[in-house]
Amino acid sequence: MPLILLILKIYIKINISKVYKLIMKILAIQNRLGIGDTVMFLPYIKVISEKFNTPISLLVKKSSKADQFLNHTNYIDKIIILERDSSKADRHDGIIGSFRLAQELKKYKFDKVFIFNSSLRYNIVSRLSGIKEIYQYPLFKKKNQHITKQAFNLVKDKLNLSTNKDPQIEIDKNFETSIISKYNINKNDVNILLGIGGSGPTKRIPAETFLSVIKKITIVKNCKFFLATGKNYQEQIILNKIINSEFKDRCISLDELTIFETLPIIKNCSVSICNDTGFSHLSSALGVKTITLMADTPLIYGSYSSKMYPIIPDGETSVSHNTLGKDKINPDKIYNQLISIIS
């Protein structure tokens, strides 16, 4: 009888644990600015989701655009916008903003939080919101922090988990099918995404570089080019130079679409050629081999995924801020890498 009771006790404990995991609520805080900053943390968020068998909610800035590209990803739950802007006073700024944020998070009743930074502010906000289990980078050690190594150490040290997987974004299959049909994407063509925009002028490779690659590849392959960029005036100049070139019949501009609407198009491209822009991160996370043109950004932003193939300026052995190499990205190197991928 004691043995039967012991077995029954273990059985009940296991099932209670399973139920707890199903209803467990976990928050991840990622307060960096851009799309790429969010994408780079996805492997660590996913491994936490798998560990606790529950999707993870995110607290991210609006500029991350996470609500536009993670709304179909199964290991993500809610996307909560952190309203902080260094250029203006926002609702989550300052002491009052911190209390306001804590009150807003409190209603979600999170059990755990993973804070992907060393800020005391988010630690206090988490405590005020009633979160009992707080996992975070070492406090007050932001200086010279590697963008992904610290995240790796967090899940390794706190949960004994490790991951070397690439970021992964998911798309609803029906939505993907409808967009493929709408834009007549033919798998027999070589569909190439050109991510020609960039968050700053030093990251935007000249239109002439892209046109040189287009000219060479269309001699040997039947290609269609999808041009992804924003509405910035300088980005539009680059777009118009390409879209009004002799290759205009092969080019489709995506600048009128939301990021969400571009995802199925990107996923069904054969390859991508992108500046250091949000589209390079989205492309690689959708499983597309992506040639990253790294002119003026730390190389890690264009090489952290196995789907990324970085090209750096001629004469450089690496690249970082102030490399200022956009005019030294060699189109022949891009072409050779492109041929090696699609051949």
Side-chain angles (χ1 to χ4, degrees):
M1 184 63 71
L3 180 59
I4 294 175
L5 289 174
L6 178 61
I7 293 171
L8 183 60
K9 184 177 179 180
I10 293 172
Y11 175 79
I12 292 171
K13 185 176 181 180
I14 290 172
N15 280 276
I16 289 174
S17 176
K18 286 180 178 179
V19 171
Y20 174 65
K21 283 185 176 182
L22 287 173
I23 63 173
M24 186 186 301
K25 295 182 179 181
I26 301 176
L27 176 68
I29 298 176
Q30 196 293 104
N31 66 320
R32 290 173 178 263
L33 285 172
I35 291 173
D37 294 315
T38 298
V39 170
M40 292 174 78
F41 286 96
L42 291 180
Y44 310 104
I45 292 167
K46 186 177 182 183
V47 80
I48 293 168
S49 172
E50 292 171 344
K51 165 71 175 179
F52 296 104
N53 192 33
T54 190
I56 309 300
S57 292
L58 302 181
L59 177 65
V60 289
K61 290 187 175 179
K62 186 176 182 179
S63 58
S64 74
K65 308 291 179 66
D67 56 334
Q68 293 191 46
F69 65 85
L70 290 175
N71 44 350
H72 284 173
T73 297
N74 288 330
Y75 59 89
I76 301 298
D77 190 11
K78 296 175 177 62
I79 296 172
I80 305 165
I81 300 301
L82 172 64
E83 297 183 46
R84 292 194 75 197
D85 189 332
S86 59
S87 65
K88 63 180 181 180
D90 223 329
R91 63 179 282 104
H92 295 148
D93 278 322
I95 295 175
I96 294 176
S98 295
F99 279 103
R100 185 180 289 126
L101 176 59
Q103 288 302 308
E104 291 172 8
L105 293 178
K106 197 170 191 175
K107 67 183 181 182
Y108 294 102
K109 299 180 179 179
F110 290 114
D111 301 290
K112 304 177 190 290
V113 62
F114 290 82
I115 305 172
F116 289 91
N117 62 58
S118 295
S119 170
L120 179 62
R121 166 190 165 85
Y122 294 105
N123 189 293
I124 293 173
V125 166
S126 297
R127 293 177 188 278
L128 290 174
S129 66
I131 302 175
K132 301 299 183 185
E133 295 184 45
I134 300 173
Y135 303 89
Q136 184 178 12
Y137 293 0
L139 291 172
F140 313 117
K141 293 187 178 181
K142 181 180 179 180
K143 189 176 181 180
N144 298 323
Q145 218 172 58
H146 190 280
I147 187 168
T148 56
K149 284 182 181 178
Q150 202 64 53
F152 180 92
N153 292 340
L154 177 66
V155 297
K156 179 66 175 176
D157 296 344
K158 302 298 184 181
L159 302 176
N160 196 29
L161 300 174
S162 62
T163 179
N164 293 310
K165 293 182 180 179
D166 293 332
Q168 181 182 350
I169 296 171
E170 299 165 356
I171 308 174
D172 177 78
K173 194 64 181 176
N174 292 331
F175 176 63
E176 180 181 349
T177 301
S178 68
I179 295 293
I180 291 172
S181 175
K182 181 177 179 179
Y183 286 90
N184 193 28
I185 299 175
N186 188 341
K187 285 290 190 179
N188 293 323
D189 294 332
V190 177
N191 298 300
I192 301 176
L193 177 76
L194 299 181
I196 59 176
S199 59
T202 60
K203 297 180 181 181
R204 300 176 196 135
I205 308 305
E208 290 74 17
T209 302
F210 287 100
L211 286 168
S212 177
V213 177
I214 291 171
K215 185 173 184 177
K216 292 185 73 172
I217 193 64
T218 50
I219 293 172
V220 296
K221 296 287 183 179
N222 185 30
C223 301
K224 183 183 288 186
F225 302 93
F226 294 92
L227 278 57
T229 188
K231 288 294 188 179
N232 175 278
Y233 176 72
Q234 294 297 326
E235 291 178 305
Q236 288 291 305
I237 290 176
I238 296 171
L239 171 65
N240 289 328
K241 282 184 179 179
I242 298 173
I243 210 80
N244 294 321
S245 71
E246 62 184 292
F247 307 105
K248 61 184 178 182
D249 292 337
R250 296 176 178 268
C251 296
I252 297 175
S253 173
L254 305 181
D255 64 322
E256 296 294 337
L257 302 184
T258 64
I259 288 174
F260 178 63
E261 290 170 323
T262 67
L263 297 181
I265 297 172
I266 296 171
K267 184 178 178 182
N268 284 275
C269 282
S270 314
V271 63
S272 298
I273 305 171
C274 298
N275 299 336
D276 174 33
T277 171
F279 288 104
S280 66
H281 303 283
L282 296 174
S283 171
S284 60
L286 287 165
V288 179
K289 292 183 177 182
T290 303
I291 300 172
T292 55
L293 311 181
M294 306 302 294
D296 197 46
T297 312
L299 189 58
I300 182 66
Y301 282 91
S303 62
Y304 63 86
S305 167
S306 67
K307 296 292 190 296
M308 288 177 160
Y309 299 79
I311 302 290
I312 67 174
D314 280 354
E316 303 288 346
T317 57
S318 188
V319 63
S320 189
H321 296 302
N322 297 317
T323 298
L324 304 176
K326 70 176 185 178
D327 296 314
K328 296 189 290 181
I329 295 291
N330 190 329
D332 291 337
K333 290 182 179 179
I334 301 173
Y335 174 77
N336 291 337
Q337 184 66 75
L338 177 58
I339 286 294
S340 72
I341 290 174
I342 63 178
S343 296

